[in-house]
Amino acid sequence: MPADPDEMTGRTETASGHSDIQLAGLWARLPVSTHPYITLARLDRPIGWWLLVLPGWWIFAAFSPGWQTAIWYMALFTVGAVAMRAVGCVINDLWDRDIDAQIERTRARPLASGQLSVAAAFIFLMCLSGLGLLVLLQLPVICWGVGVAALPLVILYPLAKRFTDWPQIVLGFTFSWAIPMAVAVLWQSWPPAGLWLIYAGCVCWVVGYDTIYAVQDMPDDRLTGVRSSALALGRYIRWGVSLFYLAAIAFWTAGFWGVLGPGLWLGGLGLMGCHLVWQIYQLKTDDPASALQVFKSNRNAGLILSAGLFLNTFL
């Protein structure tokens, strides 16, 4: 699963071709026995948890009663995002271990290659879920039900790409779930309608950037029967991504304006929009390595909007 729900994996060139296994720096210095678990959870590839947590950051930056509250919940959500992104990656690899073994980029993953057993992966999954539960218990009780409600989406995504040409939509609902969670923290009641527009915009953003991500695997996906929006769009990938990004900007503009009114956040959203246009310009559908770099740049896009919202609220 890509950003797995990234999984948002990395990619490196090797003598035998492409692989998404690459441990470097501090991760490589840890005991060798931990390396399969680090790789399975994608702990060495932060883009996945960045994209998972950023929508929640937007809500806290825009609507927290004070900057201390915003920082506290942004930090707490970051820990939860790292844990739950890892949960999604483990579930994805459990579902896809046979498919991963057939794909050049993923055949070295711990479950596909046999470095880890299914039983070991399940135990690791329980540990990660426990960490996520600890974070959840720090939040208001209403958030517990909202958090649990995301689990079917996490489980459904690996199956969706077997049965629909648009599994990225399922991923969009999943990777945007930090918004309902953050809303539950701050409102603890039914939120303003504008916040649902912000959620819809985030879903469109995820579909757009994960379509870019899926460009990497188009040849292998055709062979293995895995479906994706990139394959569905074919030669119209640029147009499709452009439309999803345009819809995202429109939803965000309407949503934030409806709750915040005009302010500095418009500058952040405008700069983010410019960044998304740059992505479309840079995207080369015949260059997987380039597609990965464009996809990863969405972290910067999300941070730009976070900064605009934070300045708007607390400057």
Side-chain angles (χ1 to χ4, degrees):
M1 150 184 183
D4 357 255
D6 251 138
E7 301 161 337
M8 305 349 194
T9 57
R11 188 180 165 102
T12 183
E13 188 78 26
T14 68
S16 58
H18 290 298
S19 170
D20 66 0
I21 305 300
Q22 181 182 21
L23 289 182
L26 176 62
W27 298 111
R29 297 173 186 228
L30 294 175
V32 174
S33 59
T34 67
H35 289 184
Y37 295 96
I38 294 168
T39 300
L40 181 63
R42 317 293 197 272
L43 296 178
D44 57 318
R45 293 156 221 168
I47 183 62
W49 62 257
W50 269 117
L51 294 176
L52 191 60
V53 77
L54 280 167
W57 279 22
W58 301 340
I59 301 301
F60 291 124
F63 304 111
S64 292
W67 68 267
Q68 297 95 333
T69 300
I71 295 297
W72 164 248
Y73 281 118
M74 289 165 79
L76 197 61
F77 266 51
T78 300
V79 176
V82 173
M84 296 316 296
R85 182 275 188 115
V87 166
C89 291
V90 175
I91 292 174
N92 178 84
D93 284 12
L94 283 167
W95 280 116
D96 284 357
R97 59 189 185 276
D98 293 334
I99 293 176
D100 286 344
Q102 303 174 50
I103 296 176
E104 187 176 34
R105 183 175 62 83
T106 58
R107 63 177 53 136
R109 288 181 177 178
L111 286 170
S113 64
Q115 295 177 65
L116 283 182
S117 67
V118 171
F122 268 112
I123 294 171
F124 187 43
L125 178 63
M126 293 302 102
C127 294
L128 292 169
S129 299
L131 177 58
L133 179 61
L134 287 176
V135 172
L136 191 62
L137 293 176
Q138 310 305 308
L139 304 176
V141 175
I142 191 173
C143 298
W144 301 359
V146 178
V148 170
L151 292 178
L153 291 171
V154 175
I155 296 170
L156 179 62
Y157 172 74
L159 294 176
K161 57 189 176 182
R162 292 167 168 81
F163 300 108
T164 174
D165 289 336
W166 293 91
Q168 278 69 24
I169 294 177
V170 180
L171 189 69
F173 284 110
T174 308
F175 256 59
S176 304
W177 204 256
I179 290 178
M181 286 291 292
V183 167
V185 170
L186 295 180
W187 270 265
Q188 300 186 37
S189 62
W190 193 255
L195 295 176
W196 295 111
L197 294 176
I198 296 169
Y199 179 72
C202 192
V203 172
C204 294
W205 181 47
V206 175
V207 175
Y209 70 57
D210 202 61
T211 298
I212 294 174
Y213 182 89
V215 167
Q216 296 178 95
D217 293 330
M218 289 173 68
D220 287 322
D221 286 348
R222 289 190 185 98
L223 293 174
T224 59
V226 172
R227 302 182 184 182
S228 74
S229 53
L231 289 177
L233 289 168
R235 60 178 177 168
Y236 300 107
I237 290 176
R238 281 174 174 270
W239 284 103
V241 173
S242 298
L243 288 174
F244 279 111
Y245 279 174
L246 181 61
I249 294 295
F251 278 125
W252 287 333
T253 301
F256 283 116
W257 188 283
V259 185
L260 294 175
L264 290 176
W265 65 269
L266 280 167
L269 184 58
L271 290 174
M272 184 185 188
C274 292
H275 191 289
L276 297 183
V277 171
W278 172 85
Q279 288 185 31
I280 300 299
Y281 179 76
Q282 291 294 316
L283 178 60
K284 299 178 178 64
T285 58
D286 59 349
D287 185 351
S290 172
L292 179 63
Q293 294 308 311
V294 172
F295 158 77
K296 285 183 175 182
S297 74
N298 278 281
R299 181 202 64 173
N300 298 335
L303 285 173
I304 289 169
L305 181 55
S306 297
L309 291 166
F310 200 91
L311 291 173
N312 181 81
T313 307
F314 302 114
L315 183 60

